[in-house]
C-alpha cells in the first residue's frame, strides 16, 4: 500500500535523524520555544489520538518517559499502530506531520 509506505518512510527518516541525539540536544528549544523532546512527544500523542479515533476507542495519554532517548522508539510503536488501522487519508496526514517536524529539526 503506497500510503503505508509513505508513513513508514517518514518515520524511518525522522528516527534516523534523531536516534543518536543526546539529552542536551533533545532539550534544545524548537518551534515556539518548546523543547525538541516536547515537540516529538506532541507528535506521538497526535498519532496515538488518531489511532484511537480509527479504532473507535477513547484516546489515552502517551506516557512521557523520564529518558528522552526513548522517544524514537515510542514514535515507531505508535506509528506502526496507526499504519495498521488508519485509512489512507489519515496516514497521509500523519506522514506530512512527521515530515514537517523532521524539517523543523534540521
Amino acid at each position: 500500500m503506497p500510503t503505508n509506505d509513505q508513513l513508514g518512510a517518514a518515520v524511518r527518516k525522522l528516527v534516523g535523524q534523531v536516534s543518536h541525539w543526546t539529552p542536551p540536544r533533545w532539550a534544545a528549544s524548537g518551534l515556539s520555544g518548546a523543547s525538541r523532546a516536547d515537540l516529538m512527544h506532541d507528535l506521538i500523542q497526535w498519532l496515538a489520538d488518531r489511532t484511537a479515533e480509527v479504532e473507535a476507542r477513547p484516546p489515552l495519554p502517551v506516557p512521557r518517559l523520564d529518558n528522552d532517548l526513548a522517544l524514537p522508539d515510542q514514535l515507531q510503536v505508535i506509528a506502526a499502530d496507526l499504519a495498521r488501522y488508519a485509512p489512507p487519508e489519515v496516514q497521509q496526514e500523519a506522514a506530512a506531520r512527521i515530515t514537517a517536524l523532521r524539517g523543523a529539526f534540521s
Side-chain angles (χ1 to χ4, degrees):
M1 172 190 265
T3 304
N4 195 306
D5 291 345
Q6 182 183 15
L7 177 57
V11 169
R12 285 188 299 278
K13 287 177 183 177
L14 181 55
V15 167
Q17 179 178 352
V18 302
S19 62
H20 64 281
W21 283 5
T22 60
R25 193 150 182 198
W26 278 112
S29 292
L31 302 171
S32 311
S35 74
R36 291 173 170 173
D38 289 339
L39 294 171
M40 177 71 107
H41 186 265
D42 289 347
L43 171 67
I44 294 166
Q45 185 64 61
W46 184 89
L47 295 170
D49 292 347
R50 300 300 75 74
T51 302
E53 286 175 10
V54 299
E55 292 178 336
R57 63 170 173 77
L60 299 171
V62 175
R64 185 71 161 91
L65 303 176
D66 292 335
N67 189 343
D68 293 333
L69 301 180
L71 287 166
D73 293 332
Q74 280 187 307
L75 174 66
Q76 290 176 309
V77 169
I78 298 298
D81 285 345
L82 185 68
R84 185 175 303 120
Y85 299 111
E89 61 274 6
V90 174
Q91 291 186 38
Q92 288 173 338
E93 184 179 4
R97 283 181 177 250
I98 293 166
T99 300
L101 184 61
R102 185 171 167 255
F105 284 167
S106 296

